[in-house]
């Protein structure tokens, strides 16, 4: 499985969505958003249309970006952005490791 390219508006939408989530749950929320976006993209590729709940496979669609302001601001926002970028890096390295293992076996 893959994930659609992650654009700046996806990161901002996810950061905005994290505002309503307690700090101790945000890492899991980011990971869940990545999983949902990946599943929605697979759905889109299979069915030729948006996933009914998670949209077109972008993080912005998963986060309901149309309902949120996409302007970052404040110290909490910086912490959210750092967390998001860390989790995206972790997500990508984990996928690369799995793909490497598939090539070996």
């Amino acid at each position: 499985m893959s994930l659609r390219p992650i654009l700046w508006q996806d990161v901002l939408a996810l950061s905005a969505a994290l505002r309503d989530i307690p700090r101790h749950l945000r890492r899991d929320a980011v990971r869940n958003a990545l999983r949902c976006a990946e599943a929605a993209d697979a759905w889109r590729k299979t069915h030729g249309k948006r996933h009914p709940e998670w949209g077109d496979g972008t993080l912005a669609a998963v986060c309901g970006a149309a309902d949120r302001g996409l302007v970052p601001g404040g110290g909490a926002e910086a912490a959210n952005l750092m967390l998001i970028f860390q989790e995206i890096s972790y997500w990508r390295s984990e996928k690369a490791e799995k793909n490497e293992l598939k090539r070996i076996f």
Side-chain angles (χ1 to χ4, degrees):
M1 275 193 187
S2 66
L3 187 66
R4 292 185 80 166
I6 298 173
L7 305 176
W8 180 239
Q9 59 262 30
D10 295 308
V11 173
L12 292 178
L14 183 51
S15 182
L18 292 177
R19 290 180 196 148
D20 301 332
I21 297 172
R23 285 183 197 263
H24 69 281
L25 298 175
R26 289 180 183 175
R27 182 175 308 280
D28 289 338
V30 172
R31 290 177 182 178
N32 189 53
L34 287 164
R35 281 191 294 274
C36 290
E38 183 178 49
D41 191 41
W43 174 279
R44 180 187 61 83
K45 289 175 182 173
T46 301
H47 299 284
K49 58 184 178 181
R50 296 171 55 96
H51 184 277
E53 185 176 350
W54 300 321
D56 61 4
T58 62
L59 284 171
V62 168
C63 296
D67 301 336
R68 300 181 182 275
L70 297 179
V71 180
E77 195 76 35
N80 286 346
L81 293 172
M82 288 177 55
L83 173 64
I84 291 165
F85 287 122
Q86 286 172 342
E87 289 304 313
I88 290 171
S89 295
Y90 175 75
W91 176 268
R92 288 185 172 158
S93 66
E94 190 176 64
K95 294 293 178 185
E97 279 182 25
K98 286 180 183 176
N99 287 335
E100 189 63 32
L101 285 175
K102 285 179 186 177
R103 282 188 224 131
I104 294 171
F105 296 105

